[in-house]
Amino acid sequence: MKVADDIRARLDLARDIIGEAGRLALGHFADRAHLGIDAKLNGQDVVSAADRGVETLIRSSVAAAFPDDGFLGEEYGLQKGRSGWRWTVDPIDGTSCFVHGLPSWCISVALSDADEQTRFGLILAPVSGELYEAVADEGARLNGQPLQVDGQASLETGLVGLGASHRVAATEISAVLQALLESGGMFVRSGSGALSIAEVAAGRLCAYYEPHINAWDCLAALLIVREAGGFTAEFPGEGRSLLQGGPVLATAPQIARPLNEMIIGVRQRAS
Ligand code: LIP
């Protein structure tokens, strides 16, 4: 019972914090003209005062309530804990969209246990007011309503979300994009991996693939997909180093094999 109580107490805090963080982020979003923005790795990899402010709000709230918990945030890194519980947070996922005034951004909060198993995940998209939530073994919900992946779509009829960044060579994604189009499929890129993966859970996308993404971008969303009946390939953040990132694949069950075979085929031809 203690584990369940520990999770429930942290879930209650996560629900409160993500709502407050959403209001803070929306305030910055409405006042972008005065938003401080810095480039990180390159001109497409930026961080704003909103990212930093939202992470500071969440980090300080968690530290006040659960001082022995670990915390990994995109902007201020990993703080190891002693309780066995670790929070993984992307304060603004889709920062590039945020700073350009596009609505596809979100706040992502995940809790993992000492075995690196994600126990709950929350994703709030403040512009749409959509809150995705999943607790391990308890299903996934969107604004309180049950979520289910699209069990009917095929690669020829569904939409595949693709993510791209300058963290990997352009050919790593362009070759998959070409193979998908040549097979009769179609793609979208929203700029927020977390939100796109959550939309797989909602049945809006039949799959999401990105050759490199980070744990804070996707741990919450991957649990939401699994709890909505979807497939997710193992992600490094759930078993290996939390800080290296790696490829992410989340799909409706019937899409997993054909899309994975397409990606493997592209990689074999490139090698
Ligand atoms: C973003 C991811 C997206 C990826 C971008 C960036 P951020 O996260 O959600 O999938 O393609 O390069 O990493 O940096 O906006 O939190």
Side-chain angles (χ1 to χ4, degrees):
M1 271 305 280
K2 183 179 183 314
V3 170
D5 292 343
D6 283 355
I7 292 171
R8 189 58 52 187
R10 287 164 174 79
L11 180 59
D12 290 345
L13 179 67
R15 286 168 174 160
D16 289 343
I17 304 172
I18 206 167
E20 187 178 348
R23 290 185 288 276
L24 174 62
L26 273 178
H28 283 297
F29 189 62
D31 189 28
R32 286 186 315 280
H34 299 99
L35 188 62
I37 301 169
D38 299 310
K40 296 196 289 191
L41 294 176
N42 52 61
Q44 296 293 345
D45 181 21
V46 296
V47 57
S48 76
D51 301 77
R52 295 187 175 114
V54 169
E55 182 166 327
T56 299
L57 169 67
I58 298 173
R59 197 180 275 263
S60 59
S61 300
V62 169
F66 302 105
D68 292 334
D69 285 10
F71 196 101
L72 171 61
E74 177 173 9
E75 307 313 337
Y76 296 107
L78 177 61
Q79 179 176 339
K80 291 187 176 180
R82 294 188 297 269
S83 68
W85 299 108
R86 192 203 61 251
W87 300 68
T88 304
V89 171
D90 191 339
I92 305 277
D93 185 74
T95 297
S96 186
C97 297
F98 184 99
V99 300
H100 287 91
L102 296 169
S104 53
W105 54 272
C106 64
I107 299 166
S108 180
V109 178
L111 182 76
S112 302
D113 62 22
D115 297 324
E116 286 296 351
Q117 297 304 305
T118 309
R119 302 301 290 267
F120 68 63
L122 287 79
I123 289 175
L124 175 65
V127 174
S128 68
E130 292 187 324
L131 175 62
Y132 298 82
E133 178 181 312
V135 178
D137 304 322
E138 296 183 17
R141 294 180 178 279
L142 170 55
N143 290 353
Q145 296 305 307
L147 273 184
Q148 191 67 34
V149 294
D150 177 352
Q152 303 303 315
S154 67
L155 280 180
E156 293 74 26
T157 62
L159 282 177
V160 173
L162 292 179
S165 74
H166 293 295
R167 296 185 297 270
V168 294
T171 50
E172 285 223 27
I173 194 65
S174 61
V176 173
L177 171 56
Q178 180 177 346
L180 178 65
L181 292 175
E182 288 173 348
S183 71
M186 187 43 70
F187 76 102
V188 294
R189 180 188 188 267
S190 80
S192 168
L195 201 47
S196 297
I197 297 169
E199 289 178 328
V200 174
R204 298 170 182 165
L205 297 178
C206 65
Y208 184 80
Y209 170 71
E210 184 160 0
H212 183 277
I213 201 170
N214 288 299
W216 46 81
D217 297 318
C218 65
L219 288 188
L222 290 174
L223 177 66
I224 293 166
V225 167
R226 292 195 293 269
E227 290 297 322
F231 163 83
T232 64
E234 184 200 354
F235 182 76
E238 291 187 321
R240 303 200 310 269
S241 158
L242 267 177
L243 304 179
Q244 69 185 23
V248 67
L249 180 65
T251 77
Q254 73 278 10
I255 301 292
R257 184 186 184 107
L259 183 53
N260 199 41
E261 288 176 349
M262 180 183 291
I263 294 165
I264 291 169
V266 162
R267 285 179 178 162
Q268 286 171 343
R269 288 192 292 277
S271 60

